[in-house]
């Protein structure tokens, strides 16, 4: 009882001393951001895959950062055997980042952030796979197969580690590394997509990097 | 949670020098990340084969039952017969010695595969009626043609009977047919 009283009075003193401290604010602004890494990788990738994405996040108590990310991505890949895969589609992710910084009662609230978070991603899209050639070497024949207007819905989760820094007032830059895991599975024999917008290459897990530029309102 | 103590002192960390360092690190890892997504090639089998084993039934006087045992053929020659009834130029097996198991390619686009089988000097014609379907493997590998055996017909010069052990021809090493002498 005594102890809690002491803590309480100490907190009250903090508040009086440092009125700019935003820690007690429940909501500390909304940040809109665009991803620059996807622009760079799209340019490097020779059009094999491309992606555009942006997001909005809110700051709750400088601790929790619920975030929504939406984007548009596609791929146009031709293999060594001339099989072509083509897709494009929208994707969305939602999740939350948690600040990893220990809050110190007397520290001035920093707008910089080291965070760990999770995302749940989803994409529903159509794709075409063309020119799958099947040859019969013994009985001598061949045919070419196309799979057009296939559709797929995929869900995945991401583990995110990130850093965000306020470079100029209200302008934020940040990067994050993501480890992505596909939740939906391909059934055996299914003509599954090679690329999933927002997830990347269709594998059980993937890595992703984002480099964001944002403005806080 | 384990990471938490590591970041305890990060208030100091965010002076400009360190910020630049972090961003350079990010750029470096990003470059590495892009450069290590290399090209892929197919590492799966892209064909299936019909597996056939040779057996002989022997009647045992003591147990009053037939038992089958694997036999090997001294000399075996196999040639496909196309739908027009003409022999395919290339031989699947050419005078092969001591064969007890063999693997045959089924026709990928026609629902019948016929073979002329020469056991030593005796010739039999085996017709396999099957359905064909496509199994998608991956973008790198494309499609695999798989078969389901429906009926097997044979002449009976050397062959006594054929039993279907496994109807689904989906790989290269199963035994689908058993030929009895």
């Amino acid at each position: 009882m005594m102890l809690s009283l002491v803590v309480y009075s100490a907190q009250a003193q903090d508040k009086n001393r440092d009125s700019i401290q935003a820690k007690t604010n429940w909501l500390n602004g909304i940040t809109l951001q665009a991803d620059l890494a996807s622009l760079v990788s799209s340019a490097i990738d020779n059009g094999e895959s491309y992606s555009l994405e942006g997001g909005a996040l809110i700051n709750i108590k400088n601790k929790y950062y619920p975030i929504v990310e939406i984007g548009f991505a596609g791929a146009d890949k031709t293999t060594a055997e001339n099989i072509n895969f083509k897709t494009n589609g929208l994707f969305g992710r939602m999740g939350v980042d948690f600040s990893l910084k220990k809050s110190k009662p007397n520290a001035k609230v920093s707008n910089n952030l080291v965070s760990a978070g999770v995302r749940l991603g989803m994409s529903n899209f159509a794709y075409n796979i063309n020119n799958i050639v099947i040859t019969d070497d013994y009985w001598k024949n061949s045919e070419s197969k196309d799979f057009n207007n296939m559709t797929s819905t995929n869900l995945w989760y991401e583990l995110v580690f990130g850093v965000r820094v306020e470079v100029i007032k209200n302008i934020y830059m940040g990067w994050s590394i993501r480890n992505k895991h596909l939740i939906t599975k391909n059934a055996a024999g299914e003509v599954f997509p090679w690329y999933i917008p927002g997830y990347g290459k269709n594998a059980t897990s993937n890595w992703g990097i984002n480099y964001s530029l944002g403005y806080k309102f | 949670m384990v990471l938490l103590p590591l970041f305890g002192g990060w208030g100091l960390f965010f002076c400009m020098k360190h910020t630049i360092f972090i961003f350079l690190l990010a750029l470096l890892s990003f470059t590495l990340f892009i450069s290590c997504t290399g090209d892929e090639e197919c590492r799966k089998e892209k064909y299936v084969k019909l597996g056939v084993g040779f057996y002989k039934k022997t009647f045992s006087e003591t147990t009053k039952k037939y038992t089958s045992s694997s036999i090997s053929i001294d000399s075996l020659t196999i040639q496909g017969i196309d739908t027009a009834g003409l022999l395919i130029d290339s031989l699947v097996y050419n005078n092969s010695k001591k064969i007890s198991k063999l693997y045959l390619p089924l026709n990928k686009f026609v629902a019948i595969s016929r073979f002329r089988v020469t056991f030593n000097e005796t010739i039999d014609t085996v017709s396999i009626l099957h359905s064909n379907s496509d199994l998608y493997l991956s973008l790198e590998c494309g499609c695999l043609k798989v078969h389901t055996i429906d009926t097997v017909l044979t002449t009976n010069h050397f062959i006594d009977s054929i039993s279907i052990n496994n109807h689904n021809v989906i790989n290269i090493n199963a035994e689908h047919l058993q030929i009895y002498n």
Side-chain angles (χ1 to χ4, degrees):
Chain A
M1 187 64 193
M2 276 295 281
L3 193 73
S4 65
L5 208 71
V6 170
V7 171
Y8 179 75
S9 63
Q11 277 176 348
Q13 265 175 16
D14 278 350
K15 255 181 242 170
N16 296 336
R17 193 164 52 206
D18 193 1
S19 58
I20 44 165
Q21 186 168 36
K23 211 164 80 183
T24 46
N25 285 2
W26 194 81
L27 185 68
N28 296 301
I30 296 173
T31 305
L32 293 181
Q33 60 186 34
D35 180 42
L36 304 178
S38 56
L39 290 176
V40 176
S41 61
S42 302
I44 294 172
D45 222 9
N46 297 323
E48 204 165 80
S49 68
Y50 53 89
S51 179
L52 282 171
E53 68 171 270
L57 63 107
I58 56 175
N59 175 346
I60 296 172
K61 294 178 175 178
N62 283 333
K63 258 184 190 168
Y64 312 106
Y65 298 82
I67 184 163
V68 174
E69 295 162 331
I70 54 165
F72 178 81
D76 186 351
K77 159 89 175 175
T78 303
T79 67
E81 297 190 12
N82 268 325
I83 301 173
N84 178 258
F85 172 86
K86 204 177 266 185
T87 190
N88 60 62
L90 292 168
F91 63 88
R93 306 186 197 105
M94 54 194 295
V96 62
D97 283 335
F98 302 93
S99 173
L100 292 179
K101 278 200 291 179
K102 227 185 248 171
S103 51
K104 286 181 195 143
N106 291 327
K108 186 167 171 265
V109 168
S110 161
N111 287 323
N112 301 330
L113 173 71
V114 180
S115 66
V118 287
R119 303 279 187 281
L120 181 69
M122 199 199 88
S123 180
N124 173 279
F125 56 98
Y127 57 99
N128 297 336
I129 298 177
N130 282 300
N131 197 36
I132 298 179
V133 177
I134 302 171
T135 52
D136 191 327
D137 292 332
Y138 187 74
W139 300 91
K140 299 291 176 226
N141 211 339
S142 77
E143 70 176 21
S144 166
K145 283 194 78 74
D146 297 326
F147 297 96
N148 284 316
N149 298 316
M150 311 289 293
T151 56
S152 181
T153 303
N154 288 271
L155 277 178
W156 68 92
Y157 69 89
E158 303 179 357
L159 305 172
V160 187
F161 173 77
V163 172
R164 193 156 48 237
V165 183
E166 187 174 29
V167 281
I168 314 167
K169 186 159 172 57
N170 290 335
I171 305 280
Y172 285 77
M173 270 185 127
W175 58 264
S176 64
I177 300 178
R178 292 144 186 259
N179 187 217
K180 308 177 179 190
H181 297 266
L182 208 54
I183 298 167
T184 41
K185 301 265 188 286
N186 307 311
E190 184 194 334
V191 185
F192 56 86
W194 177 78
Y195 177 92
I196 298 165
Y199 180 77
K201 233 197 117 195
N202 189 351
T204 50
S205 77
N206 253 344
W207 285 92
I209 285 183
N210 285 59
Y211 198 109
S212 59
L213 184 64
Y215 186 82
K216 184 181 160 186
F217 292 93
Chain B
M1 278 301 151
V2 184
L3 288 170
L4 275 176
L6 256 168
F7 300 118
W10 276 43
L12 257 177
F13 198 94
F14 283 107
C15 56
M16 209 54 195
K17 205 165 70 184
H18 287 105
T19 309
I20 291 167
F21 172 73
I22 293 173
F23 278 85
L24 280 176
L25 196 74
L27 205 65
L28 182 75
S29 52
F30 182 55
T31 322
L32 283 174
F33 168 73
I34 286 194
S35 58
C36 68
T37 47
D39 220 356
E40 317 77 10
E41 57 184 80
C42 181
R43 287 188 190 82
K44 289 176 185 166
E45 294 289 356
K46 287 180 70 182
Y47 60 92
V48 297
K49 292 237 161 142
L50 176 82
V52 182
F54 295 114
Y55 297 88
K56 197 173 186 70
K57 271 184 183 153
T58 43
F59 186 72
S60 162
E61 286 294 338
T62 49
T63 59
K64 306 284 180 201
K65 275 178 184 170
Y66 281 100
T67 51
S68 60
S69 54
S70 182
I71 55 167
S72 72
I73 309 299
D74 290 335
S75 164
L76 191 81
T77 299
I78 300 182
Q79 201 168 2
I81 304 166
D82 69 16
T83 43
L86 302 168
L87 287 168
I88 304 283
D89 287 338
S90 64
L91 300 166
V92 189
Y93 285 82
N94 185 6
N95 197 17
S96 303
K97 309 293 182 193
K98 298 283 173 200
I99 300 287
S100 60
K101 273 189 171 48
L102 56 88
Y103 297 94
L104 301 174
L106 291 180
N107 203 319
K108 290 182 182 177
F109 305 108
V110 181
I112 182 166
S113 301
R114 287 163 76 200
F115 295 95
R116 193 174 85 150
V117 189
T118 311
F119 300 92
N120 304 319
E121 304 290 296
T122 319
I123 297 171
D124 268 311
T125 303
V126 178
S127 305
I128 299 136
L129 284 81
H130 51 86
S131 61
N132 307 319
S133 53
D134 297 313
L135 183 73
Y136 181 75
L137 295 174
S138 67
L139 196 69
E140 291 78 23
C141 298
C143 279
L144 182 71
K145 204 55 119 161
V146 295
H147 316 277
T148 306
I149 303 166
D150 181 54
T151 314
V152 179
L153 303 168
T154 181
T155 56
N156 297 103
H157 302 293
F158 178 87
I159 297 171
D160 172 68
S161 62
I162 298 178
S163 73
I164 303 172
N165 190 36
N166 182 349
H167 284 267
N168 301 314
V169 186
I170 53 170
N171 52 30
I172 55 165
N173 46 24
E175 186 172 289
H176 304 95
L177 302 183
Q178 296 182 329
I179 292 183
Y180 290 93
N181 170 224

